[in-house]
Amino acid sequence: MRTVVVTGHPRAAMAQVDALAVLGVATVHEALGRDGYLGPDLRPVQRDTRIAGTAVTVLSRPGDNLMIHAAVEQCRPGDLLVVTTTSPSRDGSFGELLATALRHRGVRGVVTTAGVRDTAELRAMGFPAWSGSVSAQGTVKAAAGSVNVPVVLGGQTVCPGDVVLADDDGVLCVPRLAATATLVAARARVATEEATREALTAGELGLDRYGLRRTLADLGVEYVNHPDVRNL
């Protein structure tokens, strides 16, 4: 494996990033055609936090955080650090000190398939983290990896400069070149959901709103009066 630190990669426009952040992971995921979700294993350390940023990616060796330190130098305001390892690792490779360095550079948070530690300190300092585990097990700084190369998390490829959204529902990647179209589609979905919310609040049933009575009928679902149940 060639080990590199790629500099000067293009990033999604920050106006698009901020607009997508407001909409949230679930809505944007649906607007993206139910694509880009990085899987249920990435869970937030904190609660009630919704962010988005441009990806700075890290590929590390398991049990080693050398390349996370190398990635700090490549970060700038509005970025979000995305870390994975060459083979599965649950070690706590990210903690308060790295968060302090990243916050100084305007980084909005971290997503890692490995572990985080110092979770109380991360919450206290307001640095959001999503991880595959929480672990006090420390790491070394001895093995080469890469920064700002495409990485795979949850079966999805994240490229440097892509938009990464994260909230209580999980983490989502929107490809940089798809950000504009995804934002348009997500806003349209929000408008549709608002109309549906108003209808449901007024008492309309989802069965009617979504045309599901025909679906039930096509699937052979029958409505049977209770006295007739014993005859089934």
Side-chain angles (χ1 to χ4, degrees), residues 11-158:
R11 290 164 165 85
M14 198 51 57
Q16 296 172 331
V17 174
D18 292 341
L20 286 167
V22 173
L23 302 174
V25 169
T27 295
V28 178
H29 172 58
E30 295 287 347
L32 199 58
R34 298 184 180 178
D35 198 7
Y37 177 49
L38 303 189
D41 293 333
L42 296 173
R43 302 306 306 153
V45 168
Q46 63 292 315
R47 295 288 301 275
D48 302 326
T49 298
R50 176 176 287 174
I51 65 170
T54 44
V56 170
T57 62
V58 180
L59 182 62
S60 291
R61 296 290 183 179
D64 193 293
N65 71 356
L66 174 63
M67 299 313 294
I68 299 179
H69 285 273
V72 173
E73 183 181 26
Q74 303 307 314
C75 291
R76 62 192 206 196
D79 283 340
L80 193 152
L81 195 68
V82 178
V83 183
T84 192
T85 51
T86 55
S87 61
S89 175
R90 298 171 65 87
D91 296 334
S93 58
F94 185 92
E96 175 199 3
L97 295 180
L98 276 166
T100 299
L102 289 172
R103 186 170 66 174
H104 174 75
R105 303 185 77 85
V107 175
R108 295 180 172 180
V110 64
V111 172
T112 175
T113 59
V116 297
R117 58 183 188 172
D118 305 330
T119 55
E121 288 81 2
L122 292 176
R123 287 190 292 268
M125 66 189 292
F127 191 87
W130 286 257
S131 68
S133 65
V134 173
S135 175
Q137 178 65 50
T139 56
V140 298
K141 301 168 179 60
S146 292
V147 175
N148 283 332
V149 298
V151 295
V152 177
L153 291 82
Q156 300 288 331
T157 300
V158 180

